[in-house]
Amino acid sequence: MTKAKPVHKRILLKLSGEALMGDDAFGINRATIERIVGEIAEVTGLGVQVAVVIGGGNIFRGVAGGSVGMDRATADYMGMLATVMNALALADAMNKHGMTARVMSAIAIEQVVEPYVRPKALQYLEEDKVVVFAAGTGNPFFTTDTAAALRGAEIGAELVLKATKVDGVYTADPKKDPTATRYATLTFDEAMSRNLGIMDATAFALCRDQKLPLKVFSIFKPGALKSVVLGGDEGTLVHV
């Protein structure tokens, strides 16, 4: 049997911190992170170079109550530290799975993780290591969605994958409207004119301007990530 070939050589996977929680209220669910790592391992086994940008909502959620009334920049820096914690946990699980992962942070914490340096990140990808980008863009007021668009453009990713709880973008909330249908494809302009809220405006504009296609899919659907890189009818593709 001929082995299926991926249609994308290098991808950027955007994972929310909440994707690591499983059924827990906050924190990291070990079984969930191991399942996600297994999905990533399947893709790297096909020869796909993978970089990951991860959010910190699952960690920050545990202290969010204390952030009420806090200066926004201070709260954002706390969120960046939460992404570093998630990146370390994800990389540890990958290394235990037999993969080689490197964490690169946009803020300097050199005793813990190495700083983000674009040529070094590209070198790691060429060596078939998984690169996990932490601390967002390193700046307050910018989301990890924006970091995903930025890092995706910087490393020359062919596709940014936004992993969500639903298997694509729908005409309405499928949980509330059983008649809602999934968009197979959308242009960036169509998504913006319909206010679909796929990513924050800065991230969305960056993907559009860099002609960097975006795929929205469910990380909770077994085999969905592999299906995406093999060109299957999975999720919603947003393109120029």
Side-chain angles (χ1 to χ4, degrees):
M1 180 182 290
T2 304
K3 185 178 179 181
K5 293 183 178 180
V7 296
H8 304 290
K9 174 64 176 176
R10 180 178 293 170
I11 62 172
L12 187 293
L13 175 64
K14 167 58 173 64
L15 278 174
S16 68
E18 288 80 1
L20 306 183
M21 294 193 310
D23 295 326
D24 299 339
F26 60 86
I28 298 168
N29 181 286
R30 195 67 197 177
T32 298
I33 199 171
E34 288 176 356
R35 183 189 59 75
I36 291 173
V37 165
E39 299 270 338
I40 295 172
E42 269 196 300
V43 167
T44 59
L46 296 172
V48 179
Q49 297 173 358
V50 180
V52 181
V53 166
I54 192 160
N58 59 317
I59 301 295
F60 193 66
R61 182 174 295 187
V63 295
S67 69
V68 175
M70 185 181 293
D71 177 76
R72 168 65 189 275
T74 300
D76 282 357
Y77 280 119
M78 291 173 66
M80 290 180 213
L81 294 176
T83 73
V84 175
M85 295 169 69
N86 278 338
L88 287 169
L90 187 63
D92 178 74
M94 287 180 180
N95 290 328
K96 283 183 169 61
H97 201 279
M99 304 157 70
T100 304
R102 293 288 184 268
V103 178
M104 306 188 87
S105 172
I107 56 176
I109 323 176
E110 294 189 37
Q111 292 91 336
V112 182
V113 293
E114 61 184 292
Y116 169 67
V117 179
R118 180 175 176 267
K120 194 70 174 177
L122 292 170
Q123 177 188 328
Y124 286 151
L125 290 169
E126 292 293 341
E127 294 171 351
D128 295 323
K129 297 178 173 71
V130 178
V131 182
V132 185
F133 296 120
T137 66
N139 302 285
F141 309 108
F142 290 92
T143 68
T144 49
D145 277 352
T146 298
L150 176 63
R151 297 290 182 250
E154 286 183 300
I155 65 171
E158 297 170 16
L159 183 68
V160 170
L161 285 77
K162 182 175 172 66
T164 67
K165 293 182 178 180
V166 293
D167 62 342
V169 181
Y170 280 75
T171 54
D173 186 343
K175 292 182 179 179
K176 298 177 181 178
D177 184 355
T179 65
T181 57
R182 174 176 63 89
Y183 293 106
T185 64
L186 281 166
T187 66
F188 285 105
D189 289 340
E190 286 172 341
M192 292 175 77
S193 66
R194 295 172 190 175
N195 295 315
L196 294 175
I198 298 170
M199 280 180 137
D200 73 77
T202 303
F204 214 65
L206 183 54
C207 284
R208 181 192 61 188
D209 294 346
Q210 296 301 314
K211 297 179 172 59
L212 180 58
L214 169 69
K215 173 79 82 165
V216 181
F217 78 108
S218 172
I219 194 65
F220 295 96
K221 180 180 177 182
L225 180 58
K226 181 179 179 180
S227 176
V228 168
V229 301
L230 292 176
D233 179 22
E234 197 72 51
T236 300
L237 178 67
V238 188
H239 57 93
V240 176

